[in-house]
Amino acid sequence: MQSRHFTINDYPQGTPARELFELHEQELPALAEGEVRIRNTWLSVDPYMRGRMSGVKTYIEPFELNAPLEGAAIGEVVESRDSDFPVGAKVRHMGGWRDIAQLPGDQLEPLPTFEVPDQAYLGVLGMPGMTAWTGLNRIAEMQDGDNVLVSGAAGAVGSLAVQLAKAKGGTVVGIAGSQEKLDWLEDHGVKAVSYRGKDAAQLTEALREACPEGFDVYYENVGGTCLEAALNTLKVGARIAVCGMIARYNEDTPSAGPGNLAMILIRRARMEGFIVFDHWANYSQFLEEVGPQVEDGQLDYEETVEDGLERTPDAFLKLFEGANRGKMLVRL
């Protein structure tokens, strides 16, 4: 059976060029004992993948040049030599950026059984949803009535974070860019603040206007100006969960950090970075809590979908243009 997959031919400096990505075709070998062949139906592209294109190990190994790229995917088993995954089973795995994946059975997860679309397990009930839940509950230790600020608030992670925070009863403010995203936040009871055209002082003023008493929790997805403004608006004892800093992912050289880091001391705040994979043992707890809310329509979620394997690099690059609402997906 033939499989098509994407590779990168170089490690980019700055924003990756579309020409960096090459589509290849290969004949898959016969299945070995314990292996499974999956026809992918949905692929995920995520900002963290940019770090894997640096050629440097961070918390995860970098992508290899001219080797199939990896990412979360959902598909259906079409051939199997693992009795745990019969033909027809739907599974989640990391053999993305390709149409047909061939993997050992121990690298597959059966899809949970909530009445939701399959692709929800790549978004609201997948890694992004788990990331939002983990940052708020396990890192920032969000309490009832906390005032919560979320940057990147209309993205795959941020859009769930604001809704989970809203359920705790405090003031929730979301930072976003486009008017469409700001409107979505307002429609969900979240005070929306645009970062566009604002320096740190102007964004600070806008955040103080949205929540004069300040924030108990800041959920950080962006960095840069958003972080600087957020530090100015913390309450004493605030907690910051650092999920990502997408503003810096394509920088050619390291940029200066915020000049007001002393606010962490002044506000006696705690700032902690986290990687969701370190907390995956809690996925069943997340699923038990959030799964029924998604199934019953209590939690809303957005998806931006590109069609066709060939569009996977384009979907990935759009993440850095702010072109997605909610989870960016590729449908095969």
Side-chain angles (χ1 to χ4, degrees):
M1 180 178 286
Q2 295 287 326
S3 173
R4 295 183 300 153
H5 63 265
F6 273 100
T7 67
I8 53 173
N9 54 40
D10 198 3
Y11 293 123
Q13 299 293 317
T15 303
R18 178 61 177 81
E19 294 73 27
L20 181 81
F21 301 89
E22 295 182 351
L23 184 60
H24 298 272
E25 187 169 320
Q26 69 175 116
E27 183 74 26
L28 294 172
L31 284 182
E33 186 65 33
E35 284 190 331
V36 179
R37 190 170 289 166
I38 308 106
R39 186 180 304 279
N40 287 333
T41 52
W42 292 92
L43 308 179
S44 174
V45 289
D46 302 281
Y48 83 87
M49 294 174 175
R50 176 61 184 85
R52 297 195 69 184
M53 296 176 186
S54 66
V56 178
K57 181 177 179 179
T58 55
Y59 60 87
I60 191 171
E61 294 290 340
F63 288 135
E64 293 183 32
L65 296 181
N66 305 309
L69 298 174
E70 299 173 341
I74 283 172
E76 183 174 322
V77 175
V78 294
E79 190 175 346
S80 177
R81 296 192 66 186
D82 185 326
S83 59
D84 290 335
F85 297 100
V87 171
K90 292 182 178 180
V91 296
R92 180 172 58 190
H93 57 88
M94 289 299 292
W97 291 81
R98 68 198 82 181
D99 54 4
I100 306 293
Q102 185 163 316
L103 299 167
D106 61 8
Q107 295 182 20
L108 310 180
E109 297 176 84
L111 286 194
T113 56
F114 291 102
E115 293 293 327
V116 299
D118 290 348
Q119 70 270 23
Y121 295 109
L122 293 178
V124 65
L125 293 180
M127 186 265 287
M130 175 66 174
T131 302
W133 180 87
T134 299
L136 289 174
N137 293 289
R138 301 191 64 83
I139 306 301
E141 299 176 340
M142 180 177 61
Q143 304 297 313
D144 288 347
D146 276 351
N147 295 340
V148 179
L149 174 64
V150 180
S151 59
V157 174
S159 59
L160 181 58
V162 293
Q163 293 181 79
L164 294 176
K166 188 67 180 172
K168 292 289 188 178
T171 298
V172 181
V173 177
I175 302 173
S178 71
Q179 189 60 50
E180 186 181 25
K181 292 179 178 181
L182 297 170
D183 290 343
W184 184 91
L185 291 168
E186 294 284 356
D187 289 344
H188 289 76
V190 177
K191 293 187 177 183
V193 173
S194 176
Y195 65 85
R196 289 188 176 172
K198 294 184 177 74
D199 60 21
Q202 293 167 325
L203 185 54
T204 297
E205 183 179 353
L207 293 177
R208 284 177 173 158
E209 183 177 341
C211 186
E213 61 269 34
F215 297 101
D216 302 281
V217 170
Y218 174 43
Y219 195 108
E220 170 67 294
N221 286 308
V222 175
T225 300
C226 291
L227 175 57
E228 186 169 348
L231 290 174
N232 287 330
T233 59
L234 299 178
K235 292 171 70 174
V236 172
R239 291 90 64 202
I240 304 171
V242 182
C243 166
M245 292 194 174
I246 195 171
R248 297 189 170 197
Y249 290 174
N250 289 317
E251 290 181 341
D252 292 320
T253 57
S255 61
N260 61 341
L261 283 176
M263 293 304 297
I264 295 177
L265 172 62
I266 293 168
R267 297 292 187 239
R268 283 83 92 195
R270 172 166 58 83
M271 185 174 182
E272 181 178 349
F274 73 100
I275 303 300
V276 70
F277 303 117
D278 295 338
H279 300 267
W280 208 255
N282 300 301
Y283 179 69
S284 60
Q285 182 182 350
F286 155 76
L287 205 60
E288 181 179 350
E289 178 182 329
V290 179
Q293 298 180 59
V294 177
E295 188 175 50
D296 296 341
Q298 299 174 41
L299 288 175
D300 192 13
Y301 61 96
E302 296 283 316
E303 296 172 347
T304 301
V305 177
E306 295 282 335
D307 282 298
L309 178 66
E310 295 81 1
R311 295 291 299 169
T312 308
D314 305 276
F316 171 72
L317 293 174
K318 285 183 177 182
L319 293 172
F320 303 97
E321 302 169 3
N324 61 303
R325 279 178 59 186
K327 184 72 186 83
M328 180 67 86
L329 296 164
V330 178
R331 177 169 47 204
L332 304 187

